[in-house]
Amino acid sequence: MAVSEGVMKKVLLSYTYVAIWIFLSFSVIVYNKYILDQKMYNWPFPISLTMIHMAFCSSLAYILVNIFKVVDPISMSLDTYLKSVVPIGALYSLSLWFSNSAYIYLSVSFIQMLKALMPVAVYSIGVSFKKESFKKETMINMVSISLGVAVAAYGEAKFDVFGVTLQLMAVAFEATRLVLIQILLNSKGIKLNPITSLYYIAPCCLVFLSFPWFVMEYPLLRDKASLSFDFWVFGSNSLCAFALNLAVFLLVGKTSALTMNVAGVVKDWLLIAFSWSVIKDTVTPLNLIGYGLAFLGVAYYNHCKLVALKASEAQKVRVQQEDDSEAGKLLEERDGKDDEESTKKNENRI
């Protein structure tokens, strides 16, 4: 009974973490759409919005790391920072800039459909960087996901070439960032949780974004004398973005990254339903058919990842058991030798 209660508590906690992450991720996406869309809040400055997020998150991460000591900072040299963190920060800034820009031109539902290409991009770039091994079955699955997204795009009622290009570039930059994290950080034993990631990467993003901002958005903001900055709207939006990073820390730390991927699929369907029912975006039957095909491909991809993860863990357990067994045999042999030597000594004394 006690074991059952413990298992039930663990399951309930896992579902709670998943629900919190889905709610916050859902909120940030819808909130960003509300701010940037010209038919809603009408503040079409995606670089500025991203910079506000980065400045807010940098400040809070600094307070949590250096004042409240919630997590310890990572020991990192300047050379490591410049060679490992800066490239990741550059890619992250581009990914956020282009993904936020896409909300101006595309519906929330269609953007979620395009994001289904993320496993395709991560796998393809991983193979090119030799971090993933090429497998025919996996590539066939990637092609099926791509075809599903293509069908969804063909059925999109408000297709915008520029918006699609922005979102595809965002996916490409984000996938490259995820692969480079494995190459530049994980391979060197540097593990960053969401708080330390913001602590080191957010200031870097802020610097990178300042260059296109100064050229593209600063002149427009300067000329719009009537434009007012609503601290409540942007403050609450930034707080949601920071809370989402904390939710990622909880979800991945208490469950796994794979759980977050599966939860992401659920979140995407909820966003599509919300976009259609509340925002009144047009979702065509061909959209749903195409995304349904892509969804099956992504689900199979996550299933394969889960099987591989279980196999890896089982292998580790077997190796540990073999090591323990070998150590036990060596201990028995040593004890046996000690007994023989003791017996010989006693015989000699006699």
Side-chain angles (χ1 to χ4, degrees), residues 34-58:
Y34 167 75
I35 291 174
L36 294 166
D37 198 300
Q38 296 178 0
K39 296 178 182 178
M40 298 181 191
Y41 190 77
N42 191 23
W43 204 78
F45 302 104
I47 305 176
S48 300
L49 181 63
T50 309
M51 289 180 70
I52 291 169
H53 288 172
M54 291 298 101
F56 186 88
C57 290
S58 297

Side-chain angles (χ1 to χ4, degrees), residues 22 70 93 98 107 127 159 217 221 253 255 261 297 317:
I22 288 177
V70 174
S93 62
F98 291 134
S107 67
V127 169
F159 188 90
E217 293 188 2
L221 290 167
T255 57
N261 289 341
V317 171

Side-chain angles (χ1 to χ4, degrees), residues 206-232:
L206 191 60
V207 172
F208 276 113
L209 289 168
S210 65
F211 294 104
W213 174 81
F214 190 78
V215 175
M216 299 174 66
E217 293 188 2
Y218 173 69
L220 298 174
L221 290 167
R222 181 188 56 197
D223 295 339
K224 285 195 174 184
S226 60
L227 194 67
S228 60
F229 186 85
D230 192 324
F231 284 94
W232 165 251

Side-chain angles (χ1 to χ4, degrees), residues 121-322:
V122 171
Y123 179 73
S124 302
I125 294 170
V127 169
S128 65
F129 279 96
K130 298 182 179 180
K131 294 302 294 182
E132 292 274 0
S133 57
F134 179 84
K135 295 179 181 178
K136 186 178 179 181
E137 291 182 359
T138 305
M139 184 53 69
I140 291 173
N141 187 37
M142 297 298 110
V143 172
S144 70
I145 294 173
S146 302
L147 287 174
V149 173
V151 171
Y154 182 77
E156 174 61 20
K158 297 180 180 178
F159 188 90
D160 186 281
V161 175
F162 185 63
V164 171
T165 302
L166 287 171
Q167 185 56 48
L168 292 179
M169 289 175 67
V171 168
F173 284 124
E174 179 64 10
T176 307
R177 182 184 76 90
L178 294 174
V179 174
L180 283 187
I181 285 175
Q182 298 178 40
I183 297 173
L184 299 178
L185 295 180
N186 294 349
S187 62
K188 297 179 181 178
I190 302 173
K191 302 291 184 181
L192 297 178
N193 60 51
I195 297 176
T196 51
S197 292
L198 290 175
Y199 180 75
Y200 289 105
I201 295 175
C204 184
C205 290
L206 191 60
V207 172
F208 276 113
L209 289 168
S210 65
F211 294 104
W213 174 81
F214 190 78
V215 175
M216 299 174 66
E217 293 188 2
Y218 173 69
L220 298 174
L221 290 167
R222 181 188 56 197
D223 295 339
K224 285 195 174 184
S226 60
L227 194 67
S228 60
F229 186 85
D230 192 324
F231 284 94
W232 165 251
V233 170
F234 292 101
S236 58
N237 178 246
S238 299
L239 187 60
C240 284
F242 184 80
L244 176 59
N245 281 278
L246 296 184
V248 171
F249 178 69
L250 277 176
L251 183 61
V252 176
K254 300 298 182 181
T255 57
S256 68
L258 187 62
T259 301
M260 191 174 75
N261 289 341
V262 175
V265 174
V266 177
K267 177 207 68 180
D268 290 343
W269 279 110
L270 290 174
L271 279 167
I272 290 171
F274 180 87
S275 177
W276 171 73
S277 61
V278 178
I279 304 179
K280 303 302 181 183
D281 287 331
T282 303
V283 179
T284 66
L286 205 54
N287 276 149
L288 295 177
I289 291 171
Y291 184 65
L293 292 172
F295 163 75
L296 292 174
V298 173
Y300 180 72
Y301 174 78
N302 287 332
H303 170 72
C304 292
K305 284 287 186 182
L306 179 60
V307 171
L309 183 62
K310 286 183 176 179
S312 177
E313 290 177 351
Q315 179 64 25
K316 288 179 182 178
V317 171
R318 282 197 296 270
V319 170
Q320 184 63 41
Q321 289 175 343
E322 290 174 0

